[in-house]
Amino acid sequence: MRRTADSPEAGPPVSPWWQDAVFYQVYVRSFADSDGDGVGDLEGIRSRLGYLELLGVDALWLTPFFRSPMADHGYDVADPRDVDPLFGDLAAFDRLVADTHNHGMKITIDLVPNHTSDQHPWFQEALRAGPGSRERERYHFRDGLGPDGSTPPNNWTSVFGGPAWTRVRDGQWYLHLFAPQQPDLHWEHPDVRADLVQTLRFWLDRGVDGFRIDVAHGMAKPPGLPDMDPRAVTIMAGSNAPDFVDLRFDNDEVHDIHRLIRKVLDDYPGTMAVGEIWVDQEERFAAYVRPDELHLGFNFKLVEAEFDADSVRRAIDRSLAAVESTGSPATWTLSNHDVVRHVTRYGGGELGTRRARAMALVELALPGTTYIYNGEELGLPNVDLPDWALQDPTWERSGHTQRGRDGCRVPLPWEGEIPSYGFSRAGAAWLPMPPQWGALTVEKQLEDPESMLSLYRHALEIRKTAQGFGGDELEWYGAPPGCFAFRRKGGGLICALNTSAASVPLPPGEILLSSGPMDGNQLPPETSVWLV
Ligand code: NOJ
């Protein structure tokens, strides 16, 4: 077991607590509802801390719960230093921080620096003050092109579809890389920087252990906001079209902002920041986790990999290469609130579940920090929601061609046989829950040693207590086609994965845990195993 700064009694150098932590992402709207309005809230989370401790995670990441008109479910922030009444209040937040710590877990929260809500007082002032005013300088307001200014100032598109510009009554346009209700801030303005520092200190003083930085590759914009090559445009931005430069993201000036964030965090020892960084190239990614910038960078290579040994191995190698010389640990994510849940990505049904089990053991065997998205420990699939239920701005912005992310955000089933399965005392949750989820509740899965939840609990327990997980490096073994096996160099744990159609011989060692039944001495298809 690695010694952390919290248990520094004796021995060699102490690693920060996040170095090999397992974070649990709480999508606040969908975790647990305490007040019966069908939407999750802070007291709901507090009431389920016992579950999270039992699961065995080290830290929580809460998605935004700040004051917001909820155009993008809280990623449109009207006041970054207050709790939205939908989720509770500051007193509820303080209770949650205290209780999370009492349960032995850390608590980290989202920070949304790229944009505000259009209802933020700054944006409202800017609208009132008119063209050329100082108030407009905190955002990117521009005149349009063409004789009557009716063409947007450049050709950028919004990540949610449509142009990245919206015209206001007086004829000027403002930039929003996401929804029109999320105007982008102008990061060269001193007020914008000062306000971020104030927000960081506000939550740090209340006891949070860190932040997840939304769109950490955004914020800085290229001088003059030139047109971009439309081929560079990708959905979650910046990742799938490596041959083209997406001028909207990953501009060098963004690193100054991360240095600013780091300086504040350095005043609060033991706190950390992880950036959401959709940047494809390893060296560009590495820049975000330099020693004076963020502690961790979210890496989405596993999210993008198919269930295929070569594809997963490439994702692992590239993720490790990206942080190799930085001193920052790799991070691993299979799902989050922006992507199709991995049971579904891997084929859905029994097949998708078997594969998800196999990948859970691969992910939890890797050196570094792991992020579990709430509900993945229950093996929840993506939900095919009816059109009327869709709320993600992507659905409207794309002219009903892209269904958006609601399918991975359906609330968690806790107990019982009918929706909302103990999520809320209201019958209806904010997104409809499928009638078949009675079999997937926490209550059912806790009793079943073969459930996905039992697999996660078991794996997390072993990861905490067994010796094999030391060291930051891997060595790869030779393996049959469609399979891989790696060994943690420092600790000795071996993890083998079979994505081929036939059973294969196991590497030598004693089995600690397997994701499914073994085939005698052989590793069956769609299965992974831990050995020492
Ligand atoms: C990334 C967040 O994960 C996503 O949910 C949000 O819509 C955008 N950033 C905009 O804030």
Side-chain angles (χ1 to χ4, degrees):
M1 204 25 212
R2 192 191 287 273
R3 290 174 54 254
T4 70
D6 284 348
S7 56
E9 290 82 32
V14 174
S15 309
W17 62 265
W18 57 85
Q19 183 92 10
D20 56 2
V22 176
F23 284 75
Y24 185 91
Q25 179 191 350
V26 178
Y27 191 69
V28 177
R29 292 182 77 83
S30 300
F31 188 68
D33 169 25
S34 72
D35 60 5
D37 63 0
V39 177
D41 49 43
L42 299 182
E43 276 297 320
I45 302 169
R46 196 163 76 89
S47 73
R48 299 289 186 182
L49 288 173
Y51 166 73
L52 295 169
E53 189 181 354
L54 191 75
L55 175 61
V57 296
D58 303 301
L60 310 184
W61 152 31
L62 270 48
T63 55
F65 50 82
F66 318 111
R67 272 200 189 259
S68 163
M70 306 291 163
D72 186 20
H73 292 330
Y75 283 97
D76 48 320
V77 180
D79 181 350
R81 296 184 286 278
D82 200 2
V83 173
D84 195 277
L86 188 63
F87 299 129
D89 54 22
L90 283 170
F93 181 75
D94 292 342
R95 287 193 294 274
L96 178 60
V97 171
D99 274 15
T100 305
H101 289 154
N102 289 340
H103 280 269
M105 294 177 287
K106 307 282 186 188
I107 179 163
T108 68
I109 64 174
D110 232 299
L111 189 75
V112 190
N114 181 67
H115 42 265
T116 66
S117 159
D118 62 348
Q119 299 306 309
H120 190 290
W122 280 354
F123 193 74
Q124 290 299 312
E125 281 165 23
L127 288 183
R128 281 194 298 272
S133 62
R134 298 173 69 88
E135 286 81 353
R136 289 212 167 170
E137 290 170 9
R138 297 188 186 112
Y139 295 90
H140 296 275
F141 277 89
R142 293 283 186 283
D143 293 330
L145 305 178
D148 57 355
S150 64
T151 304
N154 73 18
N155 70 350
W156 294 7
T157 50
S158 142
V159 173
F160 293 154
W165 295 91
T166 289
R167 199 170 194 192
V168 300
R169 279 226 192 103
D170 53 51
Q172 277 208 310
W173 298 76
Y174 68 90
L175 176 70
H176 53 85
L177 293 186
F178 295 88
Q181 296 89 339
Q182 293 167 298
D184 278 50
L185 283 164
H186 195 309
W187 271 90
E188 272 157 46
H189 198 293
D191 288 358
V192 173
R193 291 181 185 235
D195 193 71
L196 176 79
V197 171
Q198 208 186 328
T199 300
L200 288 165
R201 291 197 187 278
F202 179 85
W203 296 108
L204 288 162
D205 289 337
R206 298 194 103 88
V208 304
D209 300 293
F211 298 90
R212 174 264 190 189
I213 318 274
D214 189 60
V215 201
H217 57 311
M219 281 102 84
K221 309 293 186 288
L225 306 179
D227 277 350
M228 62 186 278
D229 185 329
R231 288 170 300 180
V233 171
T234 57
I235 293 299
M236 230 21 236
S239 183
N240 302 323
D243 297 339
F244 305 102
V245 176
D246 186 340
L247 290 179
R248 300 170 302 170
F249 295 103
D250 193 28
N251 289 288
D252 287 338
E253 292 69 26
V254 79
H255 295 287
D256 272 354
I257 302 164
H258 294 307
R259 282 186 204 105
L260 176 71
I261 293 173
R262 179 58 179 261
K263 261 186 107 174
V264 177
L265 291 177
D266 283 348
D267 287 344
Y268 296 78
T271 61
M272 51 77 67
V274 56
E276 180 203 25
I277 307 167
W278 289 88
V279 167
D280 190 65
Q281 285 156 10
E282 283 85 340
E283 51 301 350
R284 298 293 305 179
F285 182 93
Y288 288 80
V289 292
R290 285 179 284 199
D292 59 346
E293 298 196 33
L294 302 176
H295 302 82
L296 297 172
F298 263 123
N299 153 19
F300 299 106
K301 302 272 188 286
L302 273 190
V303 171
E304 290 164 343
E306 299 187 3
F307 184 80
D308 159 73
D310 288 344
S311 164
V312 176
R313 178 172 168 170
R314 210 170 319 119
I316 295 173
D317 279 337
R318 290 193 64 196
S319 306
L320 291 173
V323 292
E324 200 177 6
S325 52
T326 64
S328 167
T331 67
W332 309 103
T333 304
L334 289 171
S335 281
N336 64 32
H337 64 294
D338 291 328
V339 299
V340 172
R341 282 188 177 275
H342 56 275
V343 163
T344 304
R345 291 203 315 268
Y346 296 154
E350 259 180 51
L351 177 72
T353 302
R354 264 169 79 91
R355 292 175 165 179
R357 291 175 68 95
M359 284 303 294
L361 292 199
V362 170
E363 182 182 43
L364 289 168
L366 291 165
T369 307
T370 303
Y371 279 82
I372 294 176
Y373 174 48
N374 61 193
E376 83 173 62
E377 80 282 14
L378 304 176
L380 298 186
N382 233 62
V383 179
D384 247 335
L385 291 162
D387 291 2
W388 61 261
L390 298 180
Q391 303 195 21
D392 185 344
T394 308
W395 176 237
E396 288 301 327
R397 297 276 302 162
S398 69
H400 296 185
T401 56
Q402 288 182 36
R403 303 189 69 73
R405 302 159 293 176
D406 295 307
C408 67
R409 298 175 174 180
V410 173
L412 263 61
W414 291 92
E415 62 230 357
E417 297 296 335
I418 51 165
S420 62
Y421 307 104
F423 163 72
S424 167
R425 63 184 132 83
W430 71 279
L431 288 172
M433 300 174 71
Q436 324 72 318
W437 276 16
L440 294 175
T441 60
V442 169
E443 182 185 41
K444 282 261 167 56
Q445 298 205 36
L446 279 176
E447 289 162 7
D448 175 5
E450 305 303 323
S451 68
M452 184 73 90
L453 179 55
S454 296
L455 179 75
Y456 269 79
R457 284 183 64 198
H458 202 166
L460 289 170
E461 164 91 40
I462 294 177
R463 183 179 154 114
K464 273 215 179 85
T465 50
Q467 294 299 319
F469 292 80
D472 296 332
E473 284 176 75
L474 297 185
E475 71 185 325
W476 294 97
Y477 289 172
C483 302
F484 68 55
F486 62 76
R487 181 172 164 278
R488 294 279 295 261
K489 263 192 181 169
L493 177 88
I494 296 164
C495 176
L497 170 72
N498 181 0
T499 65
S500 79
S503 292
V504 295
L506 279 175
E510 180 197 330
I511 296 183
L512 278 182
L513 185 62
S514 66
S515 68
M518 299 297 290
D519 178 4
N521 273 343
Q522 303 226 310
L523 182 63
E526 345 277 2
T527 308
S528 64
V529 67
W530 286 356
L531 308 122
V532 277

